[in-house]
Amino acid sequence: MALAADPVASLIDTIYIGRIGPVEIAAVGISIALFNQVSKVAIFPLVSITTSFVAEEETIEKINTKVIEAEEMKSGYIDKVSTKGEALEIVVGNSDDGLKEKGDQKESATPEDDPKTSSCEPTDITDHQNTNAPNVKIPKRNIPSASTALLFGLALGVLETLFFALLAKPLLSLSGVKPGSPMLKPAYHYLALRSLGAPAVLFSLAIQGVFRGFKDTKTPLYATVAGDVVNVILDPLLIFTCNLGVSGAAIAHVLSQYLISLIMLVKLIQQVNLLPLSIKSLQFSRFLRSGSLLLFRVIAATIPVTLAASLATRLGATTMAAFQICLQVWLTSSLLSDGLAVAGQAIIASSFAEKNYEKATAAATRVLQMGFVLGLGVTLLIGLGLQFGSGVFTKDINVKHIITMGVPFVAGTQTINSIAFIFDGVNFGAHDFAYSAYSMVEIPVLSILVSVASIGSLFGLNIVAGFVGIWFALSIFMGLRAITGVWRMGTGTGPWSFLRK
């Protein structure tokens, strides 16, 4: 639900902007595609490795804590037995001093020393339980990867803002919005304003990665819903009441993202000590090493979607408006299954840290089963909803006609998309603990091959079939992504090599 909340807000943005006209919705569509392309390249590797690293560190911390507690209980038991033994030696002495000492022992004995009232074992357990009582303040967790992730997220967000401030117009031109196009002005205004929220977007996603590692998905959900409710309230006020148009939609989205970041940061500070003990404790090299490997995969996975939006833009404002509506529905529904992927990733990462391969296999199997069922359900929902409900997004007859041409692809690929996304989470959860270059590199290489094949089909099918050709190529792309995901676990290679045993 947390992962779907932001796309749902974007979907509502699309509904409001669709009321302005097809040119504006087409302009916003290409701007969102560019913004998402850069944001995903910047943050997706960071979020993925953060979830796994935090899950690993928390699991190891819990194991170490249990070991220390067990040793302390054992040490306390031995000390008490030793003390009682010494007292016994004195008591059984033959001298009067021994008898006197016995009396002294009785006078100074505490309740726990009296075998009639207590024994050393229950006392130790009671003391240990008291330390976990509700009135005892639980210390903050020291998770170095959390601090590292937040620093990376903030830095990448600032860089993204500067990137769009300098290159917004050239990027729009490269995407098919040429000088003189009616889409240029609204597209540029939306992209320039939306980029101001990049630090908040990337920072909040980094925090989400930390909470996912803790297996806490409620906090990100509450924060995201709160921010998106503000976005939905501000949209009509800024777009129509203040007459800001697409700029109002961008401003509403930016404000909501900063609110989401603030809420999650406050909650995280209450649980984690974000000030590192030293610079050396920050895991910059580990993040850069794993993140760079995932970067190739992310680039390969996002280029086809951005290219598809660019090709749709070249077909005209009406076609691009229909494509934007279909794409937002496609992404929003697909990300429902991505929530299962995140849950699977966190559980699998912890299981690998515990070397509990049976639990990892069970978690992977369960989320795949759930994803398959979810994909079938969403296929029916989208197929019926978009076929008869396109009027919610636009009143333009031509745009609605083109949308109906995309419905079979948007709805029909949902099960494939679900499997592809979930295998991403399954493989990411396993890769970060395998410490194998082969297992970390193979998927990016396969993804690049998939991307090349998809790009080729996009150009070819776009020329032959236009709008339908673009969606057919995107369907091929998601099918190939699903195959590469199945290949890792299905062949029992890399971190899944234990399955062959």
Side-chain angles (χ1 to χ4, degrees), residues 71-130:
E71 290 178 350
E72 289 177 349
M73 292 179 68
K74 181 179 178 182
S75 176
Y77 174 77
I78 293 173
D79 289 344
K80 284 186 176 291
V81 171
S82 176
T83 302
K84 288 181 178 292
E86 292 175 1
L88 185 61
E89 289 177 0
I90 296 172
V91 168
V92 299
N94 294 325
S95 65
D96 293 340
D97 292 336
L99 294 174
K100 184 177 181 296
E101 188 69 32
K102 178 180 177 181
D104 293 339
Q105 287 289 336
K106 288 183 177 180
E107 291 174 3
S108 61
T110 60
E112 58 264 36
D113 289 328
D114 188 348
K116 294 181 180 180
T117 60
S118 172
S119 68
C120 57
E121 294 90 346
T123 302
D124 284 343
I125 293 173
T126 303
D127 292 343
H128 175 66
Q129 289 175 341
N130 288 339

Short mmCIF file of all heavy atoms in Angstrom, two decimals, residues 71-130:
data_model
loop_
_atom_site.label_atom_id
_atom_site.label_comp_id
_atom_site.label_asym_id
_atom_site.label_seq_id
_atom_site.Cartn_x
_atom_site.Cartn_y
_atom_site.Cartn_z
N GLU A 71 25.04 -15.31 28.07
CA GLU A 71 26.30 -15.39 28.82
C GLU A 71 26.17 -14.71 30.18
O GLU A 71 26.71 -15.19 31.18
CB GLU A 71 27.42 -14.74 28.00
CG GLU A 71 27.82 -15.56 26.77
CD GLU A 71 28.90 -14.87 25.96
OE1 GLU A 71 29.20 -13.69 26.25
OE2 GLU A 71 29.46 -15.51 25.05
N GLU A 72 25.44 -13.58 30.22
CA GLU A 72 25.26 -12.88 31.49
C GLU A 72 24.44 -13.72 32.47
O GLU A 72 24.73 -13.79 33.66
CB GLU A 72 24.57 -11.54 31.25
CG GLU A 72 25.48 -10.51 30.56
CD GLU A 72 24.75 -9.23 30.28
OE1 GLU A 72 23.50 -9.21 30.40
OE2 GLU A 72 25.41 -8.24 29.92
N MET A 73 23.39 -14.38 31.96
CA MET A 73 22.57 -15.24 32.82
C MET A 73 23.38 -16.42 33.33
O MET A 73 23.30 -16.79 34.50
CB MET A 73 21.34 -15.73 32.05
CG MET A 73 20.34 -14.64 31.71
SD MET A 73 18.92 -15.27 30.78
CE MET A 73 18.16 -16.28 32.05
N LYS A 74 24.19 -16.99 32.45
CA LYS A 74 25.03 -18.12 32.84
C LYS A 74 26.06 -17.69 33.87
O LYS A 74 26.30 -18.37 34.88
CB LYS A 74 25.73 -18.69 31.61
CG LYS A 74 26.61 -19.90 31.90
CD LYS A 74 27.23 -20.42 30.62
CE LYS A 74 28.16 -21.61 30.92
NZ LYS A 74 28.81 -22.10 29.68
N SER A 75 26.65 -16.51 33.66
CA SER A 75 27.65 -15.99 34.59
C SER A 75 27.04 -15.71 35.96
O SER A 75 27.61 -16.02 36.99
CB SER A 75 28.29 -14.72 34.02
OG SER A 75 29.18 -14.15 34.94
N GLY A 76 25.82 -15.14 35.95
CA GLY A 76 25.15 -14.86 37.22
C GLY A 76 24.81 -16.13 37.98
O GLY A 76 24.93 -16.20 39.20
N TYR A 77 24.41 -17.15 37.24
CA TYR A 77 24.10 -18.45 37.87
C TYR A 77 25.33 -19.05 38.53
O TYR A 77 25.30 -19.51 39.66
CB TYR A 77 23.53 -19.39 36.81
CG TYR A 77 23.30 -20.80 37.31
CD1 TYR A 77 22.19 -21.10 38.11
CD2 TYR A 77 24.20 -21.82 37.00
CE1 TYR A 77 21.98 -22.38 38.56
CE2 TYR A 77 23.99 -23.10 37.46
CZ TYR A 77 22.87 -23.38 38.24
OH TYR A 77 22.67 -24.65 38.69
N ILE A 78 26.47 -19.02 37.81
CA ILE A 78 27.72 -19.58 38.35
C ILE A 78 28.17 -18.82 39.58
O ILE A 78 28.61 -19.39 40.58
CB ILE A 78 28.82 -19.57 37.27
CG1 ILE A 78 28.44 -20.55 36.15
CG2 ILE A 78 30.16 -19.94 37.87
CD1 ILE A 78 29.38 -20.48 34.96
N ASP A 79 28.05 -17.48 39.54
CA ASP A 79 28.45 -16.67 40.69
C ASP A 79 27.63 -17.02 41.93
O ASP A 79 28.16 -17.12 43.03
CB ASP A 79 28.28 -15.18 40.36
CG ASP A 79 29.32 -14.72 39.35
OD1 ASP A 79 30.32 -15.44 39.16
OD2 ASP A 79 29.12 -13.64 38.74
N LYS A 80 26.32 -17.20 41.76
CA LYS A 80 25.47 -17.51 42.90
C LYS A 80 25.78 -18.89 43.46
O LYS A 80 25.82 -19.10 44.66
CB LYS A 80 24.00 -17.42 42.49
CG LYS A 80 23.49 -15.99 42.36
CD LYS A 80 21.99 -15.96 42.10
CE LYS A 80 21.51 -14.52 42.10
NZ LYS A 80 21.57 -13.92 43.43
N VAL A 81 26.00 -19.85 42.57
CA VAL A 81 26.35 -21.20 43.03
C VAL A 81 27.67 -21.18 43.78
O VAL A 81 27.84 -21.80 44.83
CB VAL A 81 26.42 -22.17 41.84
CG1 VAL A 81 26.99 -23.51 42.27
CG2 VAL A 81 25.03 -22.37 41.25
N SER A 82 28.63 -20.40 43.27
CA SER A 82 29.94 -20.30 43.92
C SER A 82 29.82 -19.68 45.30
O SER A 82 30.42 -20.13 46.27
CB SER A 82 30.88 -19.47 43.05
OG SER A 82 32.11 -19.27 43.68
N THR A 83 29.00 -18.64 45.41
CA THR A 83 28.80 -17.96 46.69
C THR A 83 28.16 -18.89 47.72
O THR A 83 28.57 -18.97 48.87
CB THR A 83 27.92 -16.72 46.50
OG1 THR A 83 28.54 -15.87 45.56
CG2 THR A 83 27.73 -15.99 47.82
N LYS A 84 27.15 -19.65 47.27
CA LYS A 84 26.50 -20.57 48.19
C LYS A 84 27.44 -21.69 48.61
O LYS A 84 27.39 -22.18 49.72
CB LYS A 84 25.24 -21.14 47.53
CG LYS A 84 24.11 -20.13 47.41
CD LYS A 84 22.88 -20.76 46.78
CE LYS A 84 21.75 -19.73 46.72
NZ LYS A 84 21.25 -19.39 48.05
N GLY A 85 28.31 -22.11 47.70
CA GLY A 85 29.26 -23.15 48.03
C GLY A 85 30.23 -22.70 49.11
O GLY A 85 30.56 -23.45 50.04
N GLU A 86 30.70 -21.47 49.01
CA GLU A 86 31.62 -20.93 50.01
C GLU A 86 30.93 -20.86 51.37
O GLU A 86 31.51 -21.18 52.42
CB GLU A 86 32.10 -19.55 49.57
CG GLU A 86 33.01 -19.60 48.34
CD GLU A 86 33.35 -18.20 47.86
OE1 GLU A 86 32.89 -17.24 48.51
OE2 GLU A 86 34.07 -18.10 46.88
N ALA A 87 29.68 -20.43 51.36
CA ALA A 87 28.93 -20.34 52.62
C ALA A 87 28.75 -21.71 53.25
O ALA A 87 28.84 -21.89 54.46
CB ALA A 87 27.57 -19.69 52.37
N LEU A 88 28.52 -22.72 52.40
CA LEU A 88 28.32 -24.07 52.89
C LEU A 88 29.57 -24.61 53.55
O LEU A 88 29.52 -25.27 54.58
CB LEU A 88 27.88 -24.97 51.73
CG LEU A 88 27.52 -26.41 52.11
CD1 LEU A 88 26.34 -26.42 53.09
CD2 LEU A 88 27.19 -27.22 50.86
N GLU A 89 30.72 -24.30 52.96
CA GLU A 89 32.00 -24.76 53.53
C GLU A 89 32.20 -24.19 54.92
O GLU A 89 32.70 -24.84 55.84
CB GLU A 89 33.15 -24.36 52.63
CG GLU A 89 33.19 -25.16 51.31
CD GLU A 89 34.31 -24.69 50.41
OE1 GLU A 89 35.05 -23.76 50.83
OE2 GLU A 89 34.46 -25.24 49.33
N ILE A 90 31.80 -22.93 55.09
CA ILE A 90 31.96 -22.29 56.39
C ILE A 90 31.01 -22.91 57.42
O ILE A 90 31.35 -23.15 58.56
CB ILE A 90 31.71 -20.77 56.27
CG1 ILE A 90 32.78 -20.16 55.36
CG2 ILE A 90 31.70 -20.10 57.63
CD1 ILE A 90 32.51 -18.70 55.02
N VAL A 91 29.77 -23.18 56.96
CA VAL A 91 28.74 -23.70 57.86
C VAL A 91 29.11 -25.07 58.43
O VAL A 91 28.89 -25.36 59.61
CB VAL A 91 27.38 -23.77 57.14
CG1 VAL A 91 26.36 -24.57 57.96
CG2 VAL A 91 26.86 -22.37 56.90
N VAL A 92 29.68 -25.89 57.60
CA VAL A 92 29.98 -27.27 58.05
C VAL A 92 31.30 -27.36 58.79
O VAL A 92 31.78 -28.45 59.10
CB VAL A 92 29.99 -28.24 56.85
CG1 VAL A 92 28.64 -28.26 56.17
CG2 VAL A 92 31.09 -27.85 55.85
N GLY A 93 31.92 -26.22 59.11
CA GLY A 93 33.18 -26.25 59.85
C GLY A 93 32.99 -26.82 61.25
O GLY A 93 31.90 -26.78 61.82
N ASN A 94 34.06 -27.39 61.88
CA ASN A 94 33.98 -28.03 63.20
C ASN A 94 34.18 -27.04 64.34
O ASN A 94 33.90 -27.36 65.49
CB ASN A 94 35.03 -29.14 63.31
CG ASN A 94 34.70 -30.27 62.33
OD1 ASN A 94 33.53 -30.55 62.10
ND2 ASN A 94 35.75 -30.91 61.82
N SER A 95 34.70 -25.85 64.02
CA SER A 95 35.02 -24.90 65.09
C SER A 95 33.80 -24.09 65.48
O SER A 95 32.82 -24.02 64.76
CB SER A 95 36.15 -23.96 64.64
OG SER A 95 35.68 -23.16 63.55
N ASP A 96 33.89 -23.43 66.65
CA ASP A 96 32.82 -22.54 67.09
C ASP A 96 32.68 -21.36 66.16
O ASP A 96 31.59 -20.81 65.99
CB ASP A 96 33.12 -22.05 68.53
CG ASP A 96 33.03 -23.20 69.53
OD1 ASP A 96 32.38 -24.22 69.19
OD2 ASP A 96 33.62 -23.05 70.61
N ASP A 97 33.84 -20.92 65.59
CA ASP A 97 33.80 -19.83 64.64
C ASP A 97 32.93 -20.20 63.45
O ASP A 97 32.23 -19.36 62.86
CB ASP A 97 35.21 -19.48 64.15
CG ASP A 97 36.03 -18.87 65.27
OD1 ASP A 97 35.41 -18.33 66.21
OD2 ASP A 97 37.27 -18.92 65.17
N GLY A 98 33.00 -21.49 63.07
CA GLY A 98 32.18 -21.93 61.94
C GLY A 98 30.71 -21.82 62.29
O GLY A 98 29.89 -21.40 61.48
N LEU A 99 30.34 -22.21 63.54
CA LEU A 99 28.95 -22.11 63.95
C LEU A 99 28.51 -20.65 64.01
O LEU A 99 27.40 -20.31 63.66
CB LEU A 99 28.77 -22.78 65.31
CG LEU A 99 29.00 -24.30 65.34
CD1 LEU A 99 28.93 -24.82 66.77
CD2 LEU A 99 27.95 -25.00 64.48
N LYS A 100 29.43 -19.81 64.52
CA LYS A 100 29.11 -18.38 64.59
C LYS A 100 28.91 -17.80 63.18
O LYS A 100 28.02 -17.00 62.93
CB LYS A 100 30.25 -17.65 65.30
CG LYS A 100 29.97 -16.16 65.51
CD LYS A 100 31.11 -15.53 66.30
CE LYS A 100 30.85 -14.06 66.54
NZ LYS A 100 30.82 -13.30 65.31
N GLU A 101 29.75 -18.25 62.27
CA GLU A 101 29.66 -17.77 60.88
C GLU A 101 28.32 -18.17 60.27
O GLU A 101 27.72 -17.45 59.50
CB GLU A 101 30.82 -18.34 60.06
CG GLU A 101 30.93 -17.76 58.65
CD GLU A 101 31.37 -16.31 58.69
OE1 GLU A 101 32.12 -15.94 59.62
OE2 GLU A 101 30.95 -15.54 57.80
N LYS A 102 27.86 -19.39 60.68
CA LYS A 102 26.58 -19.87 60.18
C LYS A 102 25.46 -18.94 60.62
O LYS A 102 24.57 -18.59 59.84
CB LYS A 102 26.33 -21.28 60.72
CG LYS A 102 24.98 -21.86 60.30
CD LYS A 102 24.80 -23.26 60.87
CE LYS A 102 23.43 -23.80 60.52
NZ LYS A 102 23.21 -25.13 61.07
N GLY A 103 25.53 -18.50 61.89
CA GLY A 103 24.51 -17.57 62.37
C GLY A 103 24.55 -16.26 61.63
O GLY A 103 23.53 -15.68 61.31
N ASP A 104 25.77 -15.78 61.41
CA ASP A 104 25.91 -14.53 60.66
C ASP A 104 25.31 -14.65 59.27
O ASP A 104 24.72 -13.71 58.74
CB ASP A 104 27.39 -14.14 60.57
CG ASP A 104 27.95 -13.78 61.93
OD1 ASP A 104 27.15 -13.45 62.83
OD2 ASP A 104 29.20 -13.80 62.06
N GLN A 105 25.52 -15.79 58.62
CA GLN A 105 24.98 -15.99 57.26
C GLN A 105 23.46 -15.90 57.27
O GLN A 105 22.86 -15.31 56.38
CB GLN A 105 25.42 -17.36 56.73
CG GLN A 105 26.89 -17.45 56.34
CD GLN A 105 27.18 -16.65 55.08
OE1 GLN A 105 26.29 -16.42 54.28
NE2 GLN A 105 28.41 -16.19 54.94
N LYS A 106 22.84 -16.51 58.31
CA LYS A 106 21.39 -16.48 58.37
C LYS A 106 20.87 -15.07 58.58
O LYS A 106 19.87 -14.66 58.03
CB LYS A 106 20.89 -17.37 59.50
CG LYS A 106 21.04 -18.86 59.18
CD LYS A 106 20.46 -19.70 60.30
CE LYS A 106 20.54 -21.18 59.97
NZ LYS A 106 19.97 -22.02 61.05
N GLU A 107 21.60 -14.30 59.44
CA GLU A 107 21.13 -12.95 59.73
C GLU A 107 21.24 -12.04 58.52
O GLU A 107 20.42 -11.16 58.33
CB GLU A 107 21.95 -12.36 60.89
CG GLU A 107 21.68 -13.05 62.22
CD GLU A 107 22.60 -12.54 63.30
OE1 GLU A 107 23.40 -11.63 62.99
OE2 GLU A 107 22.52 -13.02 64.43
N SER A 108 22.29 -12.22 57.71
CA SER A 108 22.51 -11.31 56.58
C SER A 108 21.95 -11.85 55.28
O SER A 108 22.10 -11.23 54.25
CB SER A 108 24.02 -11.06 56.40
OG SER A 108 24.69 -12.29 56.11
N ALA A 109 21.32 -13.01 55.34
CA ALA A 109 20.83 -13.61 54.09
C ALA A 109 19.70 -12.78 53.50
O ALA A 109 18.86 -12.25 54.22
CB ALA A 109 20.35 -15.04 54.35
N THR A 110 19.70 -12.67 52.21
CA THR A 110 18.63 -11.99 51.47
C THR A 110 17.62 -13.01 51.01
O THR A 110 17.90 -14.21 51.01
CB THR A 110 19.21 -11.24 50.26
OG1 THR A 110 19.85 -12.20 49.42
CG2 THR A 110 20.20 -10.19 50.69
N PRO A 111 16.42 -12.60 50.62
CA PRO A 111 15.39 -13.55 50.20
C PRO A 111 15.85 -14.48 49.10
O PRO A 111 15.52 -15.65 49.10
CB PRO A 111 14.25 -12.64 49.72
CG PRO A 111 14.42 -11.38 50.49
CD PRO A 111 15.90 -11.22 50.66
N GLU A 112 16.64 -13.95 48.17
CA GLU A 112 17.05 -14.83 47.09
C GLU A 112 18.10 -15.84 47.52
O GLU A 112 18.35 -16.83 46.85
CB GLU A 112 17.57 -14.01 45.89
CG GLU A 112 18.73 -13.08 46.17
CD GLU A 112 18.24 -11.67 46.46
OE1 GLU A 112 17.16 -11.56 47.07
OE2 GLU A 112 18.91 -10.70 46.04
N ASP A 113 18.77 -15.58 48.68
CA ASP A 113 19.74 -16.53 49.17
C ASP A 113 19.09 -17.65 49.98
O ASP A 113 19.70 -18.66 50.29
CB ASP A 113 20.77 -15.82 50.05
CG ASP A 113 21.70 -14.94 49.23
OD1 ASP A 113 21.97 -15.30 48.07
OD2 ASP A 113 22.13 -13.91 49.76
N ASP A 114 17.82 -17.44 50.35
CA ASP A 114 17.12 -18.43 51.15
C ASP A 114 16.47 -19.45 50.24
O ASP A 114 15.57 -19.11 49.47
CB ASP A 114 16.04 -17.73 52.00
CG ASP A 114 15.42 -18.69 53.00
OD1 ASP A 114 15.65 -19.92 52.90
OD2 ASP A 114 14.69 -18.19 53.87
N PRO A 115 16.89 -20.72 50.32
CA PRO A 115 16.34 -21.72 49.41
C PRO A 115 14.87 -21.95 49.63
O PRO A 115 14.20 -22.49 48.77
CB PRO A 115 17.18 -22.97 49.73
CG PRO A 115 17.71 -22.76 51.11
CD PRO A 115 17.90 -21.31 51.24
N LYS A 116 14.29 -21.57 50.77
CA LYS A 116 12.87 -21.78 51.00
C LYS A 116 12.02 -20.78 50.24
O LYS A 116 10.85 -21.02 49.97
CB LYS A 116 12.56 -21.67 52.51
CG LYS A 116 13.19 -22.79 53.34
CD LYS A 116 12.82 -22.62 54.79
CE LYS A 116 13.44 -23.73 55.65
NZ LYS A 116 13.09 -23.58 57.07
N THR A 117 12.60 -19.61 49.96
CA THR A 117 11.83 -18.56 49.30
C THR A 117 12.16 -18.42 47.83
O THR A 117 11.38 -17.87 47.08
CB THR A 117 12.08 -17.21 49.97
OG1 THR A 117 13.47 -16.90 49.87
CG2 THR A 117 11.67 -17.24 51.43
N SER A 118 13.32 -18.87 47.44
CA SER A 118 13.73 -18.61 46.06
C SER A 118 14.86 -19.54 45.70
O SER A 118 15.49 -20.17 46.54
CB SER A 118 14.17 -17.14 45.93
OG SER A 118 14.74 -16.91 44.69
N SER A 119 15.16 -19.60 44.44
CA SER A 119 16.34 -20.29 43.92
C SER A 119 17.02 -19.37 42.95
O SER A 119 16.42 -18.44 42.43
CB SER A 119 15.95 -21.61 43.24
OG SER A 119 15.22 -21.36 42.08
N CYS A 120 18.27 -19.66 42.63
CA CYS A 120 19.03 -18.74 41.81
C CYS A 120 18.50 -18.67 40.39
O CYS A 120 18.53 -17.63 39.76
CB CYS A 120 20.52 -19.11 41.80
SG CYS A 120 20.84 -20.79 41.24
N GLU A 121 17.96 -19.77 39.86
CA GLU A 121 17.51 -19.75 38.46
C GLU A 121 16.32 -18.81 38.25
O GLU A 121 16.36 -17.95 37.39
CB GLU A 121 17.16 -21.17 37.98
CG GLU A 121 18.34 -22.11 37.91
CD GLU A 121 18.55 -22.83 39.21
OE1 GLU A 121 17.95 -22.42 40.22
OE2 GLU A 121 19.29 -23.83 39.22
N PRO A 122 15.22 -18.95 39.03
CA PRO A 122 14.09 -18.04 38.83
C PRO A 122 14.46 -16.59 39.05
O PRO A 122 13.94 -15.71 38.41
CB PRO A 122 13.06 -18.51 39.85
CG PRO A 122 13.41 -19.94 40.12
CD PRO A 122 14.89 -20.00 40.02
N THR A 123 15.35 -16.34 40.03
CA THR A 123 15.74 -14.95 40.29
C THR A 123 16.39 -14.33 39.08
O THR A 123 16.12 -13.21 38.70
CB THR A 123 16.71 -14.90 41.48
OG1 THR A 123 16.07 -15.49 42.61
CG2 THR A 123 17.09 -13.47 41.80
N ASP A 124 17.29 -15.07 38.42
CA ASP A 124 17.97 -14.55 37.24
C ASP A 124 16.97 -14.23 36.14
O ASP A 124 17.04 -13.20 35.49
CB ASP A 124 18.99 -15.58 36.71
CG ASP A 124 20.24 -15.60 37.56
OD1 ASP A 124 20.43 -14.64 38.32
OD2 ASP A 124 21.00 -16.58 37.46
N ILE A 125 16.01 -15.15 35.93
CA ILE A 125 15.04 -14.94 34.87
C ILE A 125 14.18 -13.72 35.17
O ILE A 125 13.90 -12.91 34.31
CB ILE A 125 14.16 -16.20 34.70
CG1 ILE A 125 15.02 -17.35 34.18
CG2 ILE A 125 13.00 -15.94 33.77
CD1 ILE A 125 14.30 -18.69 34.14
N THR A 126 13.78 -13.59 36.45
CA THR A 126 12.96 -12.44 36.83
C THR A 126 13.70 -11.14 36.60
O THR A 126 13.16 -10.18 36.07
CB THR A 126 12.54 -12.54 38.31
OG1 THR A 126 11.85 -13.78 38.49
CG2 THR A 126 11.65 -11.39 38.71
N ASP A 127 14.97 -11.12 37.00
CA ASP A 127 15.77 -9.91 36.79
C ASP A 127 15.87 -9.57 35.32
O ASP A 127 15.79 -8.41 34.93
CB ASP A 127 17.18 -10.10 37.38
CG ASP A 127 17.15 -10.19 38.89
OD1 ASP A 127 16.11 -9.78 39.47
OD2 ASP A 127 18.14 -10.67 39.48
N HIS A 128 16.07 -10.59 34.49
CA HIS A 128 16.20 -10.36 33.05
C HIS A 128 14.91 -9.83 32.45
O HIS A 128 14.92 -8.92 31.62
CB HIS A 128 16.61 -11.67 32.37
CG HIS A 128 16.66 -11.55 30.88
ND1 HIS A 128 17.58 -10.76 30.24
CD2 HIS A 128 15.89 -12.11 29.91
CE1 HIS A 128 17.41 -10.85 28.94
NE2 HIS A 128 16.38 -11.67 28.71
N GLN A 129 13.79 -10.37 32.93
CA GLN A 129 12.51 -9.91 32.41
C GLN A 129 12.24 -8.48 32.82
O GLN A 129 11.64 -7.71 32.08
CB GLN A 129 11.39 -10.82 32.92
CG GLN A 129 11.42 -12.22 32.26
CD GLN A 129 10.38 -13.14 32.86
OE1 GLN A 129 9.90 -12.90 33.96
NE2 GLN A 129 10.06 -14.20 32.16
N ASN A 130 12.69 -8.10 34.01
CA ASN A 130 12.45 -6.74 34.47
C ASN A 130 13.14 -5.71 33.60
O ASN A 130 12.69 -4.58 33.47
CB ASN A 130 12.92 -6.59 35.93
CG ASN A 130 11.99 -7.31 36.89
OD1 ASN A 130 10.85 -7.58 36.55
ND2 ASN A 130 12.49 -7.63 38.08
#
